[in-house]
Amino acid sequence: MGQTARERQRERTRRRLLDVSRELFATEGYGAVGLAEIVAAAEVTKGALYHHFSGKADLFRAVLREVQEDVGRRVAGAADAREDPWERLTAGCQEFLTAATGPGIQRIMLVDGPAVLGWNEWRGMDEESSARHLGEALAELMEHGVVARQPVAPLAHLLSGAMNEAALWLATSAQPQDMADTRAALARLLEALRA
């Protein structure tokens, strides 16, 4: 059964709020954006915003979830394009660096995300998106003997943390060579895991 006109309008309003907020949070940062600016840019009322979100932090949470899902899709797409499990891992990790440092991603996902929501909530959301896939990829490689058997969770957290930190550093770097150097360092780090 199809949506009613009212349901379609609600969804369009919610989508507009998310799109406008994502752009504002990416360009100005969470702290610099007010609700008045969001509703004006989205051309909706504050009442419409509060119908969908309990406030600015809740709206940001929804934007962050979408950003993390977008990055997760890009990482999965790069990994799934490869047949070999090792190549899937390395392609996915390299794509994470590219995706996480992209315009409109880094500030929301890596800078404001942990600051606004707190480390525990941010980490939980990260687990739901890309970190879980990293653990699954490592477990598969261990199963095939490509990576030495070991507890997966600590290794996945170490790699995830290293890649998040590298993405943060790259976002503040002014040197064009830093991305290539970071990709090479990541490749060497991953290669060291091979059995």
Side-chain angles (χ1 to χ4, degrees), residues 60 64 67-69 71-72 96 99-101 104-114 122 126 129-130 164 167-168:
F60 179 81
L64 173 59
V67 166
Q68 287 180 320
E69 288 170 358
V71 170
F96 175 82
T101 56
I105 301 288
Q106 175 265 329
R107 178 179 232 155
I108 292 171
M109 190 170 90
L110 299 174
V111 176
D112 286 344
W122 178 85
D126 187 50
S129 56
S130 58
N164 284 336
L168 276 170

Side-chain angles (χ1 to χ4, degrees), residues 2-192:
Q3 289 183 317
T4 67
R6 185 181 200 114
E7 290 169 333
R8 285 192 299 275
Q9 179 59 39
R10 280 190 196 128
E11 183 52 38
R12 279 194 300 272
T13 299
R14 185 177 193 282
R15 179 79 261 145
R16 180 81 178 134
L17 283 164
L18 288 167
D19 291 344
V20 164
S21 297
R22 182 170 176 167
E23 178 66 27
L24 290 169
F25 291 147
T27 56
E28 299 178 30
Y30 177 85
V33 177
L35 287 179
E37 184 178 2
I38 291 169
V39 297
E43 299 176 333
V44 300
T45 64
K46 273 194 179 178
L49 183 144
Y50 284 117
H51 176 77
H52 295 283
F53 306 100
S54 63
K56 184 173 141 180
D58 190 39
L59 176 58
F60 179 81
R61 183 179 291 107
V63 167
L64 173 59
R65 181 164 278 114
E66 283 193 353
V67 166
Q68 287 180 320
E69 288 170 358
D70 289 350
V71 170
R73 276 191 293 276
R74 286 183 58 181
V75 168
D80 292 345
R82 308 300 197 286
E83 292 281 328
D84 178 71
W86 178 256
E87 290 178 14
R88 281 199 300 271
L89 172 73
T90 57
C93 289
Q94 293 290 355
E95 181 58 31
F96 175 82
L97 283 182
T98 301
T101 56
I105 301 288
Q106 175 265 329
R107 178 179 232 155
I108 292 171
M109 190 170 90
L110 299 174
V111 176
D112 286 344
V116 172
L117 301 181
W119 179 254
N120 287 336
E121 184 176 355
W122 178 85
R123 189 70 189 120
M125 290 175 73
D126 187 50
E127 280 285 328
E128 291 172 15
S129 56
S130 58
R132 179 175 46 85
H133 298 297
L134 178 59
E136 290 168 358
L138 290 167
E140 179 185 13
L141 289 167
M142 288 176 199
E143 192 66 33
H144 288 98
V146 178
V147 171
R149 286 195 182 274
Q150 58 190 291
V152 172
L155 182 57
H157 281 87
L158 283 167
L159 288 174
S160 178
M163 288 186 290
N164 284 336
E165 180 61 29
L168 276 170
W169 176 71
L170 285 167
T172 62
S173 168
Q175 302 300 319
Q177 184 60 33
D178 285 344
M179 177 59 96
D181 290 345
T182 302
R183 287 179 168 284
L186 178 58
R188 288 188 299 273
L189 178 68
L190 293 172
E191 192 60 37

